[in-house]
């Protein structure tokens, strides 16, 4: 098992955003997280990747505990150095690409493997060029983000995350900033990664994609997991009335 999250709670002031969330992700599994805006999907991803601190719960990667809960019911994080080691298990692709505008495409991809992971430059550059070929962007290595379309920028962001060789890749609504044509480019890449058995958690509003690509779908609403299971079950025969309502309103 790559990721375990148990009893996760997160509030912002008086607003309880995550209410005792538990789920896990196995190696090679693609898990899509769906639900209305404000249901806690992106906050769950931000907690899983330590961009937000949880109030309570346990988070474990590859059997290594990152967060536990004290006897007082508060979250306790492992020391900073150990947390940095655990962070190497995952990569994260954001909605808004988050590329460095003053770096070329190639430097965006190679910077962290060279300077953070201390890997040989020649090896990293060769792997980066292979990733760009995979993304159909090998002729854009020397371009800058401002010279790329949104779909191209997002594919560079995916290549950058893959360059760190993560065990699991998180996507936070990776197509929400893109028009329909560019959305297809990015979803094609994620489909290809799924076929290669890359472990992924994808927060998405693309229902047909979630149904086609996922091994498991989690439907969230108001900070809880309402329903989860096989995509054909969740989409074709949902058990909870709230899921039925959401899919009726959302499916295109």
């Amino acid at each position: 098992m790559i990721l375990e999250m148990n009893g996760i709670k997160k509030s912002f002031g008086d607003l309880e955003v995550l209410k005792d969330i538990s789920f896990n992700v196995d190696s090679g599994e693609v898990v899509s997280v769906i639900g209305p805006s404000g249901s806690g999907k992106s906050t769950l991803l931000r907690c899983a990747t330590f961009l937000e601190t949880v109030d309570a719960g346990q988070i474990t990667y590859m059997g290594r505990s990152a967060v536990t809960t004290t006897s007082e019911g508060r979250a306790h994080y492992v020391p900073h150095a150990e947390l940095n080691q655990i962070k190497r298990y995952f990569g994260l692709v954001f909605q808004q690409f988050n590329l460095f505008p003053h770096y070329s495409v190639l430097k965006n991809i190679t910077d962290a493997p060279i300077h953070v992971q201390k890997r040989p430059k020649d090896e990293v550059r060769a792997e980066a060029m292979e990733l760009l070929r995979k993304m159909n962007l090998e002729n854009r290595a020397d371009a800058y983000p401002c010279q790329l379309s949104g779909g191209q920028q997002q594919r560079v962001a995916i290549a950058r995350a893959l360059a760190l060789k993560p065990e699991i890749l998180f996507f936070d609504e990776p197509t929400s900033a893109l028009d329909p044509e560019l959305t297809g480019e990015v979803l094609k890449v994620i489909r290809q990664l799924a076929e290669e058995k890359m472990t992924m958690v994808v927060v998405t509003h693309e229902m047909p994609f979630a149904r086609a690509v996922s091994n498991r779908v989690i439907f969230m609403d108001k900070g809880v997991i309402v329903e989860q299971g096989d995509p054909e079950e969740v989409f074709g025969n949902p058990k909870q009335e709230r899921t039925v309502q959401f899919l009726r309103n959302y499916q295109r």
Side-chain angles (χ1 to χ4, degrees):
M1 192 174 297
I2 290 183
L3 169 65
E4 293 179 80
M5 298 182 74
N6 294 309
I8 299 299
K9 297 179 182 179
K10 175 64 180 177
S11 296
F12 295 102
D14 294 331
L15 180 63
E16 197 177 7
V17 179
L18 299 177
K19 308 170 184 177
D20 201 20
I21 295 273
S22 297
F23 80 107
N24 54 54
V25 184
D26 289 327
S27 179
E29 192 175 24
V30 179
V31 178
S32 288
V33 184
I34 64 171
S37 296
S39 58
K41 307 182 302 294
S42 290
T43 300
L44 179 63
L45 238 62
R46 290 178 65 82
C47 289
T49 55
F50 312 133
L51 293 173
E52 298 283 358
T53 55
V54 301
D55 299 325
Q58 291 87 38
I59 302 177
T60 304
Y61 278 95
M62 305 292 289
R64 292 179 67 175
S65 182
V67 184
T68 55
T69 299
T70 67
S71 56
E72 292 84 25
R74 295 195 187 93
H76 171 74
Y77 283 74
V78 296
H80 190 68
E82 190 173 350
L83 198 64
N84 280 341
Q85 289 292 319
I86 292 172
K87 284 179 180 179
R88 297 189 176 197
Y89 290 130
F90 62 76
L92 175 61
V93 178
F94 299 89
Q95 294 180 34
Q96 299 293 342
F97 326 135
N98 286 23
L99 299 175
F100 294 113
H102 55 295
Y103 284 0
S104 69
V105 164
L106 188 62
K107 187 168 172 59
N108 262 286
I109 295 170
T110 59
D111 194 62
I114 291 170
H115 294 108
V116 178
Q117 294 183 333
K118 309 296 184 188
R119 289 165 50 203
K121 287 183 182 180
D122 290 347
E123 174 189 302
V124 170
R125 279 181 65 90
E127 290 177 2
M129 289 305 299
E130 183 57 40
L131 284 169
L132 284 173
R133 274 189 285 276
K134 189 172 184 174
M135 302 295 156
N136 201 24
L137 290 170
E138 63 267 34
N139 62 340
R140 307 298 276 160
D142 296 324
Y144 286 82
C146 65
Q147 299 171 307
L148 305 178
S149 71
Q152 289 172 328
Q153 288 187 61
Q154 191 61 294
R155 282 181 281 156
V156 172
I158 294 170
R160 179 178 63 179
L162 289 170
L164 292 167
K165 300 181 181 292
E167 298 288 339
I168 181 171
L169 203 50
F170 294 95
F171 292 87
D172 186 8
E173 298 186 19
T175 60
S176 66
L178 305 176
D179 66 36
E181 186 175 3
L182 300 181
T183 291
E185 294 177 7
V186 173
L187 295 182
K188 182 180 177 182
V189 169
I190 301 175
R191 283 175 188 268
Q192 183 182 346
L193 293 173
E195 289 169 6
E196 295 168 4
K197 299 301 180 185
M198 181 74 205
T199 308
M200 295 183 283
V201 176
V202 186
V203 169
T204 184
H205 288 298
E206 300 290 336
M207 300 301 145
F209 168 80
R211 184 170 188 166
V213 174
S214 310
N215 302 107
R216 183 156 44 99
V217 172
I218 292 174
F219 170 60
M220 288 183 65
D221 189 32
K222 296 179 180 176
V224 300
I225 293 176
V226 176
E227 186 164 352
Q228 65 174 308
D230 177 272
E232 288 307 312
E233 279 293 306
V234 173
F235 285 103
N237 186 29
K239 303 292 188 291
Q240 302 298 322
E241 180 57 30
R242 181 66 188 95
T243 318
V244 174
Q245 290 172 356
F246 173 77
L247 293 174
R248 186 186 299 136
N249 292 332
Y250 214 99
Q251 281 181 311
R252 297 192 291 272

